[in-house]
Amino acid sequence: MQWSPTRREFLAGAAVGGVGVGDFSWTNATDAVPDHLLAPRGSVEWSVGTGDGPAAVSRFSARDRLYVRTPGGVRALGPDGAERWRFEVDSGDPESLVETYAAETDGATETLYVETRRGLAAIDAADGSVRWRYGDDDGRRHVDVSLATAETVFLSENGLTALDAEDGTERWRFEPDGPVWLSSQFHEGTLYVGTIRGGFYALDAAGGEVRWRTALEASGDDGPYVLAAGTSDGVAFAWNSSESVLAAFDADDGSPRWTVATNAAPTGFPGTVRKSTVYIADGSVLRARSAASGTVRWRYDAGEAVANWPRFADETMYVGAAGGVHAVSTTDGTRCWTFDTRTDAAAVVAGVDDGTVFVDSRTDALYGLDARSGRLRWRFPYSGESTWPPEVRNGIAYFGTESGTVYAVSGPDGPTPLYDAARVATGPFGVAAGGLLAGGALAAAYRRRKRANAPPPEPTAFADFERETLVAESPKKELFRARTPAGGRVALARLAPDVLAPEAFAAAVEAWAGLDCEGVLEVRQWGTEPRPWVAAEWAAGGSLADRAGKLPLTEIGRVVADVAEIVHLVRREEVTHGRLVPGNVLFTGGAARVADWRLAAALRDPPAGYVLPEGDSDSALADVYRLGALAFDVLVGETPPAGGVSPTGDAVKDPKAGLPDELVAVLSRALASDPDDRYDSALKFADAVRWATSDRA
């Protein structure tokens, strides 16, 4: 059977004004539709199957060797994918990858340290030969490499052991107050070590003598797990994993400098120390603090949980989050751009090379983004999941998957005129310069296809779902977080008895479920027994009603513009919402979604300020008024005056709003009592709102 795109996939790229349908707080210059059907596909330079369980690319050395870890050992591949050498190790677990560590000399990886079931093996990076072994003569011996430098390998084994990198002989041994916690830090001859008993040590790396020691406190009886987090500007940092507290100490004598408590999960250090600055992720918030004093230099809210692996290029930090990527100025924390992967998986920025940001969304695809603008350059979907963030070198990303395949992926080989033309047509400049024509032509081309891939869901049994948590409740409806029989998460709304006749409910939900347009919250299943219910896409980001008070004006403007474009797109399906309020605008994966099409109107009457002055209507001018009421509601904090506003906009100039004159004019026109005085389409209203709330205005 020949594959045919669903209408959702096609209109994701063809919709006029499609820019920002999923942007909510995500973009200054995001690609119109990241999952565009016509987006260029990354080129596979080569792929290799290891046949040895999962595979992970752990390092690419200056010797042009790519080291691939598997449960059966480690292999060195050349940049062409050809195997250079192999060192076999039995990990004892077919799903567990062998652990390796590398030490560099003059930028080249000379030695690769491989943990075995009986100790440690030092492997020559050039040919894979064994330089020396540690622990094999003593039988089974568990060791963890805490840190490896060009001169010394530091092992965690009932304390800390320092081995000579040249021949593996023991240099010194140190027993702290407990086992070493994760990795250590090395700076100018000093080794900084944390333990699972709360100890934080500065040791002389050459001889193992204690230069100073301090202890971190925990609220419980057990000592906290302490991780050496880095050094900068004469300060050594310790991360108290048990309490999610970062503590700063004088690197010379261990005297305390400053501490900061976070709400981060009790894991490894959720941050990076770089150039006199400590970057700390605290849930969705990223803070840049002075390394010397701990003073907050700037704060950035990503809106979703931030990943722990930022990448830097020039004065920009690129960081992944749940469902997207953020480019943030390291100077003042302002947003440069964001990109939405449209999945709930955490996006990991693998590297920045030659103007391209490489992003791995694990369960979804590998992306190549323009480092300056955030535009999607290419996308490479792959099956399964990646096992480790890709290694990036010379414009190529190397990564392994759980199925054991290693890929080398780069951007497309040649120009992509079809994608470029479609992107221009759907962007803001395309709309202004004839994008309406281009978008209409694309949509017409799609209508000649058979809509075979996205039939509306059929009614089913309510008992198929496992209810987990009651999220919201009203006299007419209960909303639960629920699980499908396959384990997927959905939002399950159940109506109270006799609130709405089954026939009226079915008509409303069928209209909603039949929409296959970008920006519509998807209906997964629905039914009328034992009473009307509907299961929809789970929106982990909450609603606009919840978040409006926390968003700056520019972000609210983008959300309202996105919603207006969704309304414009759905109108092509001859469907209107009927009762669009902030609670119907939801966020998933950073993208704006509109829910309750026709159902909200069937359930309840609109607030007085949302009632059309001309009476009930489903015209395009009615769409503009309802969108204006939505914007007024979230910007002013109350519903607009009944009957619309005068052309002078006096009602909008309420001092509680403090809105700029440009935005007052936009709202006044959208809420005009006379329909002829309004914008003649939701799309034009979207353009006006976006401009009036932008920095350019």
Side-chain angles (χ1 to χ4, degrees):
M1 178 183 295
Q2 185 176 3
W3 179 83
S4 176
T6 66
R7 186 172 181 81
R8 176 179 298 279
E9 292 170 319
F10 189 86
L11 288 179
V16 178
V19 157
V21 165
D23 289 352
F24 108 92
S25 62
W26 285 80
T27 184
N28 288 340
T30 294
D31 194 278
V33 257
D35 54 350
H36 197 300
L37 184 66
L38 303 177
R41 184 185 177 95
S43 298
V44 178
E45 301 289 333
W46 52 261
S47 64
V48 174
T50 63
D52 194 15
V57 175
S58 59
R59 194 169 186 84
F60 204 112
S61 78
R63 287 182 175 273
D64 286 338
R65 295 288 190 273
L66 184 71
Y67 302 115
V68 178
R69 298 183 293 127
T70 71
V74 59
R75 309 179 190 193
L77 308 182
D80 57 356
E83 185 173 305
R84 298 294 193 261
W85 53 259
R86 180 186 303 192
F87 180 73
E88 295 183 347
V89 176
D90 181 11
S91 69
D93 182 351
E95 299 298 322
S96 178
L97 298 169
V98 168
E99 295 293 340
T100 64
Y101 295 83
E104 293 186 350
T105 301
D106 298 328
T109 301
E110 300 290 348
T111 306
L112 198 68
Y113 300 100
V114 183
E115 294 179 5
T116 73
R117 300 179 70 186
R118 300 175 61 193
L120 185 72
I123 308 300
D124 189 298
D127 57 15
S129 60
V130 178
R131 287 185 167 183
W132 51 261
R133 293 180 183 270
Y134 173 80
D136 279 0
D137 294 339
D138 300 330
R140 182 181 177 88
R141 186 167 188 170
H142 176 74
V143 299
D144 287 322
V145 176
S146 182
L147 183 69
T149 68
E151 294 80 22
T152 311
V153 186
F154 301 96
L155 303 182
S156 174
E157 50 163 3
N158 298 322
L160 199 66
T161 304
L163 304 180
D164 189 292
E166 183 64 30
D167 56 15
T169 58
E170 184 176 311
R171 285 185 168 183
W172 52 261
R173 185 182 293 267
F174 174 72
E175 293 188 7
D177 60 0
V180 173
W181 178 236
L182 300 180
S183 60
S184 305
Q185 294 286 334
F186 177 83
H187 181 67
E188 295 182 351
T190 301
L191 187 71
Y192 299 93
V193 180
T195 74
I196 66 171
R197 297 286 185 267
F200 186 49
Y201 295 81
L203 306 177
D204 178 79
E209 297 83 7
V210 177
R211 291 182 171 172
W212 54 261
R213 175 194 181 276
T214 188
L216 280 72
E217 298 180 354
S219 56
D221 295 334
D222 297 332
Y225 283 49
V226 175
L227 168 68
T231 59
S232 179
D233 288 6
V235 180
F237 299 96
W239 174 250
N240 185 337
S241 300
S242 304
E243 303 293 318
S244 298
V245 172
L246 182 67
F249 300 92
D250 188 285
D252 292 331
D253 58 19
S255 57
R257 288 283 193 91
W258 54 269
T259 61
V260 59
T262 74
N263 294 314
T267 58
F269 178 49
T272 300
V273 181
R274 181 180 184 270
K275 291 185 176 181
S276 302
T277 304
V278 184
Y279 301 93
I280 308 175
D282 189 353
S284 66
V285 176
L286 184 68
R287 292 181 177 87
R289 294 180 178 271
S290 165
S293 65
T295 303
V296 176
R297 290 177 170 169
W298 50 258
R299 175 186 183 276
Y300 177 82
D301 191 347
E304 303 289 349
V306 176
N308 295 345
W309 293 295
R311 300 286 182 172
F312 298 85
D314 298 325
E315 300 301 319
T316 304
M317 176 176 62
Y318 303 91
V319 62
V325 180
H326 298 245
V328 183
S329 169
T330 57
T331 303
D332 56 12
T334 56
R335 172 178 296 138
C336 300
W337 53 260
T338 59
F339 178 82
D340 182 7
T341 61
R342 300 187 188 276
T343 71
D344 292 329
V348 175
V349 179
V352 185
D353 188 84
D354 194 26
T356 298
V357 181
F358 292 81
V359 178
D360 183 21
S361 191
R362 292 204 67 194
T363 58
D364 175 34
L366 182 72
Y367 295 87
L369 310 179
D370 185 282
R372 184 185 61 82
S373 67
R375 292 266 183 200
L376 176 65
R377 287 181 168 177
W378 51 266
R379 179 178 182 269
F380 177 72
Y382 55 87
S383 59
E385 294 187 9
S386 60
T387 54
W388 197 252
E391 286 286 326
V392 177
R393 178 67 64 89
N394 298 329
I396 301 175
Y398 304 85
F399 67 99
T401 66
E402 291 186 339
S403 63
T405 302
V406 179
Y407 290 98
V409 178
S410 64
D413 294 330
T416 56
L418 181 59
Y419 174 69
D420 295 339
R423 187 172 66 186
V424 170
T426 58
F429 297 105
V431 172
L436 179 62
L437 218 52
L442 287 171
Y446 175 82
R447 293 189 186 100
R448 291 192 288 270
R449 295 175 178 265
K450 295 177 68 176
R451 189 177 181 272
N453 288 350
E458 296 292 333
T460 186
F462 173 76
D464 290 345
F465 292 89
E466 177 185 357
R467 286 176 289 164
E468 294 183 334
T469 306
L470 179 65
V471 178
E473 187 177 18
S474 72
K476 294 185 178 181
K477 186 172 68 173
E478 296 171 310
L479 181 65
F480 297 90
R481 184 174 67 182
R483 293 251 175 212
T484 68
R489 178 173 290 176
V490 294
L492 178 64
R494 181 177 65 175
L495 301 192
D498 304 322
V499 167
L500 193 64
E503 298 80 12
F505 172 84
V509 175
E510 282 177 349
W512 176 12
L515 296 174
D516 200 13
C517 300
E518 190 66 25
V520 172
L521 193 77
E522 293 181 0
V523 173
R524 301 293 169 81
Q525 288 180 294
W526 65 277
T528 56
E529 297 293 335
R531 61 193 198 215
W533 62 271
V534 57
E537 178 183 4
W538 175 254
S543 72
L544 181 57
D546 301 326
R547 304 184 68 166
K550 304 174 184 178
L551 298 176
L553 179 65
T554 53
E555 304 299 340
I556 295 176
R558 292 191 185 105
V559 175
V560 172
D562 293 346
V563 171
E565 290 170 347
I566 296 169
V567 168
H568 176 81
L569 184 61
V570 172
R571 172 159 287 280
R572 296 180 180 180
E573 303 290 320
E574 300 180 350
V575 174
T576 56
H577 191 281
R579 188 186 182 275
L580 185 56
V581 295
N584 301 135
V585 179
L586 306 173
F587 302 114
T588 173
R593 300 284 190 266
V594 179
D596 288 354
W597 295 85
R598 304 308 305 168
L599 183 59
L603 281 174
R604 59 182 64 87
D605 295 327
Y610 283 76
V611 175
L612 295 166
E614 66 268 31
D616 196 21
S617 170
D618 283 335
S619 69
L621 297 177
D623 286 345
V624 172
Y625 187 92
R626 294 185 178 111
L627 288 164
L630 172 75
F632 189 104
D633 200 343
V634 296
L635 290 167
V636 179
E638 59 188 40
T639 58
V645 301
S646 67
T648 61
D650 291 335
V652 183
K653 291 182 179 179
D654 188 306
K656 290 183 293 184
L659 303 180
D661 292 341
E662 295 86 355
L663 186 54
V664 169
V666 171
L667 296 181
S668 299
R669 182 173 175 183
L671 293 169
S673 303
D674 187 345
D676 292 336
D677 292 334
R678 300 172 196 156
Y679 297 98
D680 58 16
S681 73
L683 189 61
K684 289 187 177 180
F685 172 74
D687 290 341
V689 168
R690 184 173 284 113
W691 171 261
T693 56
S694 70
D695 294 335
R696 294 173 296 173

